[in-house]
Each structure stands twice: as C-alpha cells, then as structure tokens.
Amino acid sequence: MDTIEALLQKAAAGKRLSFEEALRLYDEAPLLSLGQAARSVKMKKSGKKVFYNINRHINLSNTCTALCPLCAFSVEKGAKAGYLLSRAQVEEFLAKTKKEAPNLTEIHIVSSLCPDVDFSYYLDIVRCVREFFPNIAIQAFTPVEIVHFAKISHLPYQEVLQKLKEAGLTALPGGGAEILDDEVRAIICPDKASSQQWIEVVKTAHAMKIPTNASILYGHIETKEQRLKHLFTLRKIQDETHGFCSFLSFPFLPQNTPLAKKYSITPLSAWENLRLIAISRLILDNFEHIKAFWIMLGTDIAQVALHFGADDLDGTVGEEKIMHAAGASGNSLMSRQKLRQMIKLSGFEPTERDSFYQSLEGKNSH
C-alpha cells in the first residue's frame, strides 16, 4: 500500500486517484500537505491567475413546492413572507444594473419551485434579460428547476432546454446537486429532483452545447464516503461530456433551517472547508476551475482557499437571498476593485473573465 506521501506526490503530479486513494488522503493527509498538492495542480492548470467576473444575481421567488428541510429561504404558498418578482420588477432591476455595472458579463438567475406560475413566465424573464443585455451570458435555472419546468409544462428536458436556449439562456448553474445520493436526498430534500434526474438534465444540457457548473452541498448528514462518491460521479460525467465549466463547494449553512434543528448540525470549520476544496481539486482532475465562493466561505477563507486549489472567487454577485437566509454573513455586493485586491493580497494575478473563462483582462477599464 502506498504511503500518504506517495499518494500526495501522485495527486500533485495530476495523476488520477482511485476512490480508496482519495478517501485515504481525505482522512489521513495533513491539511497543509493536502493543500500543497492541490495548489500544485492548480498552478499547472492556470498558473498564478485567479479568475472573477462581473455578475449579478436574481432570485425570482421564494414560494416553493419542495420546502426542503435544508433550506432557510423558501416558504409555502400563501405565506406572508412569500414573493414573486413581476416582469416589471425584473426590468427595474436590470435598468439599475445597466447603469451601475456597465461591464457586466453575466446575469445569474435561480429561484424556487414556484407553484404560482407556469413555464411561460420563466421564458418571458429570460427574454426580458436578453432584451436589456443582448451580449452577456444568462446563467439561469439549476437542473432541479429544469425538472420542475418539465413537470409543469409536460415537456421533456430537451424541449424545456431548447425553449430556454431560444429565449436567450446560455448556461445552467450547478446548484441543486446537494449530495447525489438518494438516501441522503430522502432526508434533506425529499420533494425535489432525484440524483438521476439531476444527472440526466446535466447530460442533456451538455449534449445540447449548454455548459453548466457542478456543485456539492456538504456538512449536514452525509458521510465522508458520500461526499467523495458525489465528486467521483461528477468526474465520471465530465469524462463523458466535458460540459462542466467549474466546480463549487457549498458548506451547509445551518442557521434557520429545519434540518439543523432536527439533527443539531453546527457550522463547519474553516479547516473542513479548506480540506474539501483541496480534495476536490485532486479528485476532479478533468475540471479546469474550482471556485472559492466568497459569499459562502467568507472573504478571508476564500482568500486562503486560493492556496488550497481554488482558482476562482466567482463574481461581484449583487443581491443574493438564498444563502443569506441560511446565515451567510458577507455583503451581497463586492466591487471589482475589492475582488482584485483580495486576489493580489493572496499572491495571485487577478484575471477578469466571462462566464466561459475567456480572459477579459485589458478589455475593461479598472
């Protein structure tokens, strides 16, 4: 059996890890050694570049049919706190964004599984965004939402995605994956898409040349083995489709969630978050980009994560409601200057990008 040092050398060289090897590293490797190996892989892929983009988030509704125990954002139909953005409200937001962010490259839209609107509402919103911004990326609707759209429209996934693509959609975010294990999902999100449905939507999108991201939500009731199986599932899909742009790891934020109250779940430590980012970089050898999502991690840990295999801080974001409902404490809006400063202070080179990792350095004024 190889020593931990030998496995770290293998991983740092970019050689593919087996499940058993990855589990040994995750369990036994010293954190700094794991981080060093992950950083080595990151440097081979993107050198000293660390990416970010100018984006804005829209959360269309919080009224949801799923009401997952892991969620602090959604409310049931008829709840006083429920909301649904009208087209006019979206237009108002977009007009404001156009003035505030002239170099915007992406609008990111995620929502609830809203029972109050049909599929045409979402098509209309995408068309609305495209009218305001003819040339930016519209990254909208997780695979879980696509499953919901198929259900309410009685259309197959491919037709749902085709209609969204024709309306102006360019990519899907990677949310809703949580843990791709149906025993876990039966507890944390019993009334939304199954693992296989999430996978099927992603593969369908990739076949249609619609890129997506991939993600994990960890730190609730799952085991270490289930975390790693999730990562190996994503690696296998990427081998087949090459359609994932980046990987995001979301630490579970337990505040205000029914799941945390029932299972007495406490927030993860910075140590655990850095360890997951590092092992993700080592397992996902066919992913070019690993994000350290500053809203979830906090800016300090996101900076440290750049030395543990991450090469992207996501973007400026703007108004984000879902993660903040569960206890994310950072501001929702980050300036380009602040993002660049964070990257420089971490010892890396800020690299502004579009949604598909094409460098925009020098094209926009700073």
Side-chain angles (χ1 to χ4, degrees), residues 35 45 101 169 251 314:
K45 287 182 178 288
L169 179 97
D314 195 69

Side-chain angles (χ1 to χ4, degrees), residues 273-319:
N273 291 333
L274 292 171
R275 197 168 191 84
L276 194 281
I277 285 173
I279 199 66
S280 299
R281 173 59 90 179
L282 298 180
I283 291 170
L284 299 175
D285 53 28
N286 51 6
F287 278 67
E288 292 300 310
H289 304 290
I290 305 287
K291 289 190 184 188
F293 195 31
W294 61 265
I295 277 191
M296 296 289 276
L297 295 170
T299 54
D300 292 344
I301 299 306
Q303 283 178 282
V304 177
L306 300 178
H307 292 275
F308 283 74
D311 72 333
D312 189 341
L313 291 179
D314 195 69
T316 48
V317 178
E319 187 175 17

Side-chain angles (χ1 to χ4, degrees), residues 62-63 73 75-76 78-84:
N62 66 342
T63 304
F73 172 70
V75 298
E76 63 186 345
K80 191 175 180 181
Y83 79 89
L84 173 68

Side-chain angles (χ1 to χ4, degrees), residues 38-56:
R39 188 179 189 276
S40 177
V41 173
K42 175 259 179 284
M43 294 297 287
K44 286 186 179 76
K45 287 182 178 288
S46 55
K48 297 202 75 176
K49 292 180 179 179
V50 166
F51 299 93
Y52 70 95
N53 72 339
I54 308 301
N55 64 352
R56 289 293 187 274

Side-chain angles (χ1 to χ4, degrees), residues 23-35:
L23 185 57
R24 279 192 67 207
L25 286 177
Y26 195 39
D27 273 339
E28 301 174 33
L31 176 61
L32 293 181
S33 300
L34 199 65

Side-chain angles (χ1 to χ4, degrees), residues 40-287:
S40 177
V41 173
K42 175 259 179 284
M43 294 297 287
K44 286 186 179 76
K45 287 182 178 288
S46 55
K48 297 202 75 176
K49 292 180 179 179
V50 166
F51 299 93
Y52 70 95
N53 72 339
I54 308 301
N55 64 352
R56 289 293 187 274
H57 281 220
I58 302 175
N59 301 133
L60 293 174
S61 176
N62 66 342
T63 304
C64 191
T65 60
L67 299 175
C68 303
L70 59 76
C71 183
F73 172 70
S74 61
V75 298
E76 63 186 345
K77 183 174 181 175
K80 191 175 180 181
Y83 79 89
L84 173 68
L85 296 183
S86 65
R87 178 178 173 125
Q89 288 172 308
V90 172
E91 286 177 345
E92 184 181 348
F93 172 84
L94 295 172
K96 182 182 176 188
T97 298
K98 203 165 193 175
K99 290 179 182 177
E100 293 176 348
N103 295 321
L104 186 81
T105 57
E106 177 186 286
I107 289 286
H108 182 284
I109 306 172
V110 293
S111 190
S112 60
L113 310 184
C114 184
D116 297 325
V117 290
D118 61 26
F119 182 41
S120 62
Y121 165 81
Y122 300 100
L123 293 173
D124 190 44
I125 293 297
V126 174
R127 291 189 195 103
C128 175
V129 176
R130 182 54 72 216
E131 287 167 14
F132 268 83
F133 296 103
N135 300 313
I136 68 163
I138 301 175
Q139 187 177 98
F141 312 125
T142 67
V144 168
E145 290 170 273
I146 301 301
V147 172
H148 174 66
F149 297 165
K151 184 178 178 181
I152 62 176
S153 66
H154 308 290
L155 296 172
Y157 301 148
Q158 185 172 5
E159 199 164 336
V160 167
L161 289 166
Q162 184 61 38
K163 287 180 179 295
L164 287 166
K165 189 175 182 180
E166 288 168 0
L169 179 97
T170 46
L172 301 184
E178 323 307 10
I179 297 288
L180 294 172
D181 182 300
D182 286 330
E183 287 186 12
V184 175
R185 296 177 84 81
I187 296 169
I188 67 171
C189 53
D191 296 316
K192 71 180 186 185
S194 68
S195 300
Q196 191 52 47
Q197 287 174 316
W198 190 94
I199 292 167
E200 189 179 343
V201 168
V202 161
K203 286 185 175 182
T204 303
H206 293 177
M208 297 172 66
K209 306 300 182 189
I210 301 172
T212 77
N213 290 329
S215 69
I216 186 173
L217 180 75
Y218 65 99
H220 36 86
I221 64 165
E222 84 291 349
T223 64
K224 284 182 183 177
E225 288 81 3
Q226 286 166 329
R227 289 180 195 175
L228 295 199
K229 283 178 182 175
H230 178 102
L231 296 176
F232 274 77
T233 298
L234 296 178
R235 190 176 79 177
K236 185 173 184 291
I237 295 169
Q238 185 74 329
D239 277 344
E240 295 171 11
T241 71
H242 309 289
F244 289 126
C245 289
S246 67
F247 171 76
L248 302 87
S249 53
F250 298 138
F252 178 57
L253 302 177
Q255 187 177 327
N256 306 323
T257 65
L259 192 71
K261 292 171 186 172
K262 183 174 180 178
Y263 291 93
S264 301
I265 300 169
T266 55
L268 291 164
S269 66
W271 183 93
E272 290 169 299
N273 291 333
L274 292 171
R275 197 168 191 84
L276 194 281
I277 285 173
I279 199 66
S280 299
R281 173 59 90 179
L282 298 180
I283 291 170
L284 299 175
D285 53 28
N286 51 6
F287 278 67

